[in-house]
């Protein structure tokens, strides 16, 4: 996972304690899962599988929703993304949503000076730029098939 966790104590940064509740993984039977990295040395950091990992996931979800809302793309369900049989209109609509997200991300990046937020926005940019490229190519391929040949 790409997420960085900041303000960790030594034990958390070394992966020996939960980054959320600071539970001691060495001396307890708590199941831990990798949830991201320490910005200091890129080493993996961990959280209790239950409930701390879920808390982190919820937080990331909420952040993503806020970003999408800020970018004006909160209607993006993602359900159509795995459907192999959807129309050019479907691809085209998704492409427009990607482009709107990128425009919104640009606006947020221009005003943000918080490194975790900037990193989150850059991740968002990379993902949507990539899907925008694939969708643009799909639409190009479809329009060629249907139109010119
Ligand atoms: Zn925990």
């Amino acid at each position: 996972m790409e997420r960085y966790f900041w303000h960790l104590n030594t034990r958390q940064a070394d992966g020996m304690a939960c980054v959320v509740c600071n539970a001691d993984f060495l001396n307890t039977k708590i199941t831990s899962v990798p949830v991201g990295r320490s910005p200091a040395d890129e080493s993996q950091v961990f959280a209790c599988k239950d409930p701390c990992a879920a808390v982190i996931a919820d937080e990331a979800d909420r952040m993503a929703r806020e970003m999408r809302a800020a970018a004006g793309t909160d209607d993006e369900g993602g359900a159509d993304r795995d459907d192999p049989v959807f129309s050019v209109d479907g691809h085209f609509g998704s492409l427009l949503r990607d482009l709107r997200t990128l425009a919104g991300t640009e606006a947020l990046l221009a005003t943000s000076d918080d490194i975790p937020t900037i990193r989150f926005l850059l991740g968002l940019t990379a993902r949507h730029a990539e899907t925008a490229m694939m969708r643009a190519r799909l639409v190009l391929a479809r329009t060629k098939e249907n139109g010119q040949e």
Side-chain angles (χ1 to χ4, degrees):
M1 252 177 275
E2 295 300 311
R3 175 166 174 188
Y4 283 81
F5 285 84
W6 302 81
H7 311 299
L8 300 175
N9 63 38
T10 314
R11 299 178 53 76
Q12 290 170 328
D14 289 343
M16 292 188 292
C18 174
V19 295
V20 177
C21 72
N22 204 30
D24 182 347
F25 294 141
L26 289 187
N27 300 307
T28 56
K29 296 276 185 212
I30 296 169
T31 307
S32 62
V33 292
V35 291
R37 295 187 181 278
S38 158
D41 59 0
E42 302 278 323
S43 63
Q44 270 198 325
V45 295
F46 298 82
C48 309
K49 189 176 179 196
D50 184 46
C52 296
V55 169
I56 293 168
D58 283 351
E59 193 182 278
D61 257 9
R62 186 181 50 74
M63 228 176 136
R65 270 201 306 277
E66 283 174 12
M67 292 295 174
R68 282 200 294 270
T73 56
D74 50 337
D75 58 335
E76 184 176 24
D80 62 342
R81 209 171 301 155
D82 301 324
D83 185 357
V85 204
F86 55 103
S87 66
V88 170
D89 285 345
H91 279 303
F92 195 70
S94 302
L95 174 62
L96 294 182
R97 282 202 293 277
D98 279 329
L99 295 175
R100 275 203 299 275
T101 301
L102 287 170
T105 311
E106 189 272 335
L108 289 167
L109 273 171
T111 55
S112 184
D113 55 1
D114 174 53
I115 289 174
T117 306
I118 289 172
R119 290 189 53 86
F120 179 85
L121 290 168
L122 290 175
L124 207 66
T125 303
R127 210 168 65 237
H128 283 278
E130 201 177 356
T131 51
M133 178 197 74
M134 292 187 305
R135 281 164 178 154
R137 285 186 173 161
L138 273 166
V139 173
L140 275 173
R142 287 291 180 88
T143 47
K144 192 179 172 190
E145 279 163 26
N146 296 339
Q148 261 103 77
E149 288 177 359

